[in-house]
């Protein structure tokens, strides 16, 4: 019989059998799937939502622009009085544009987009009701809502689109702006049809507002929370925003690339906004077309913009941002100068196609280039988009003062000259290697923008 081993000093020994191992019991109430974090939408749903939301302001702006003569007649306003009414658009645009960047950094892009598109939708019945009752202040309020909604919402939507582009590594902003142009085509054609049938302004704009409300209800819930939002010194986690976290906040360095891209986007937006505001009148007053054909030429411009933007993806991938911007600006210069200088209706109409194709890719490609040109892409996109929308919404009305003295065709030489400067600015951008599918869209520009 083996002797019992003495216990070690200071430790008590138990001869009781060890307890049997048991598996942990599952919780009585397992968490429901609704409690688990999950993305708001798939990447494809997010892209489709953004295309619908870009389509809305294009539809809205073309709808009320084509009814401007009818609105003027309902108000019994003179040209000077209509200028005061349109001041509501400029004031709202400046408010929305200048406040959107800070709001996106504070709240994220989604709530700013929601506020913007709701204001655009509300502007349609407000403007229509003002025309119906002959109230200039109510029409002014409607245009103020439209300007504030489009100015603020579009900047936020470009931030969201740039995030999608950065995440996917493929060009996307050109397609988004193509859907805006498609909206202008649909709105212009519908507006011409309603005008030809003498449909009152109110039911027309009520229908546009109803369509917009449906697009908002379908699109906004598919956008992720927190894109572009910054908390303290760190960005929102990627799990919440469905994208990589942004660097610590701070103003973008005024590097050469950002300044050059800003010049390009300002010129492109001015050229596009000039066509939206003045092209029908240029064709009617400057080239002696009747009003219906003048509106048809504007629809031709919008169609050229749409084709250029929707079909421009392979061109961007093959040539890169810098080459596309230089070529687009040069083509736009040729088109605008031909419309201004050549006194021939057919040549002017064909030149409008060049004008539309030339300016189609400039704005979205410049926004994309700004987002990939250095650190803090949210601030860079917001800054460049702000400059672009100021030129788009506020710059063209200023050409009216020059047009009163020199004629609208002569006034077109101003945006043509600014586009000429944009050609030089684009040529100064870092040389771009041909893009590759899956490559970072802004990599070609990032080298010079981050130099010490």
């Amino acid at each position: 019989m083996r002797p019992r081993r003495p216990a070690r000093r200071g430790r008590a020994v138990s001869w009781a059998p060890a307890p049997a191992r048991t598996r942990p019991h599952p919780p009585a109430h397992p968490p429901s799937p609704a409690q688990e974090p999950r993305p708001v939408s798939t990447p494809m749903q997010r892209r489709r939502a953004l295309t619908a939301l870009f389509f809305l302001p294009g539809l809205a702006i073309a709808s009320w622009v084509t009814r401007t003569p009818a609105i003027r007649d309902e108000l019994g306003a003179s040209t000077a009085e209509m200028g005061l009414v349109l001041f509501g658009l400029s004031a709202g645009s400046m408010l929305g544009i200048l406040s959107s960047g800070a709001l996106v950094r504070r709240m994220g892009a989604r709530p700013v987009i929601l506020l913007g598109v709701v204001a655009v939708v509300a502007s349609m019945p407000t403007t229509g009701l003002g025309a119906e009752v002959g109230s200039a202040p109510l029409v002014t309020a409607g245009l103020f809502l439209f300007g504030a909604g489009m100015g603020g919402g579009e900047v936020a939507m470009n931030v969201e689109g740039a995030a999608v582009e950065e995440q996917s590594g493929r060009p996307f902003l050109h397609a988004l702006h193509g859907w805006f142009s498609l909206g202008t085509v649909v709105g212009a054609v519908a507006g011409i049809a309603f005008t030809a049938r003498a449909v009152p302004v109110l039911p027309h704009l009520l229908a546009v507002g109803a369509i917009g409300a449906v697009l908002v209800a379908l699109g906004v819930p598919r956008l992720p929370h927190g894109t572009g939002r910054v908390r303290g010194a760190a960005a929102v986690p990627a799990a919440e925003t469905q994208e990589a976290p942004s660097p610590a906040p701070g103003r973008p360095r005024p590097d050469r690339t950002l300044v050059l891209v800003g010049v390009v986007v300002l010129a492109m937006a001015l050229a596009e906004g000039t066509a939206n505001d003045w092209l029908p009148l240029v064709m009617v007053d400057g080239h002696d077309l009747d009003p219906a054909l003048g509106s048809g030429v504007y629809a031709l411009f919008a169609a050229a913009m749409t084709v250029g933007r929707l079909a421009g993806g392979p061109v961007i991938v093959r040539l890169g941002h810098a080459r596309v911007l230089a070529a687009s600006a040069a083509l736009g210069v040729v088109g605008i100068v031909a419309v201004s200088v050549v006194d021939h209706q057919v040549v002017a109409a064909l030149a409008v196609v060049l004008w539309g194709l030339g300016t189609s890719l400039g704005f979205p490609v410049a926004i994309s280039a700004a987002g990939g040109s250095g650190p803090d892409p949210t601030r860079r996109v917001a800054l460049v988009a702000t400059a672009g929308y100021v030129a788009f919404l506020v710059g063209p009305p200023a050409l009216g003062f020059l047009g009163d003295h020199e004629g609208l065709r002569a006034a077109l030489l101003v945006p043509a000259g600014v586009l000429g400067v944009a050609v030089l600015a684009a040529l100064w951008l870092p040389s771009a290697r041909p893009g590759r599918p899956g490559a970072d869209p802004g990599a070609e520009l990032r080298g010079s923008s981050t130099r010490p």
Side-chain angles (χ1 to χ4, degrees), residues 127-217:
T127 304
L129 182 60
E132 182 73 16
V133 301
S135 172
L138 194 55
V139 173
T140 303
L143 295 181
F144 178 88
L145 283 174
F146 178 84
M150 182 174 174
E154 287 276 311
V155 171
M157 282 192 277
N158 276 284
V159 171
E160 187 73 42
V164 172
E165 191 170 77
E166 182 76 14
Q167 186 180 45
S168 65
R170 297 193 303 270
F172 179 55
L173 280 169
H174 71 284
L176 283 183
H177 287 263
W179 278 86
F180 173 88
S181 298
L182 181 61
T184 62
V185 173
V186 174
V189 172
I192 293 171
F194 281 125
T195 300
R197 293 182 173 272
V199 176
V201 175
L202 180 58
H204 175 195
L205 296 188
L206 280 175
V208 174
I211 294 172
V214 173
L215 294 177
V216 171

Side-chain angles (χ1 to χ4, degrees), residues 272-291:
E272 181 181 350
T274 298
N276 286 332
D277 284 8
W278 297 113
L279 184 55
L281 287 177
V282 168
M283 301 307 296
V284 171
D285 296 343
H287 290 282
D288 298 324
L289 295 181
D290 61 64

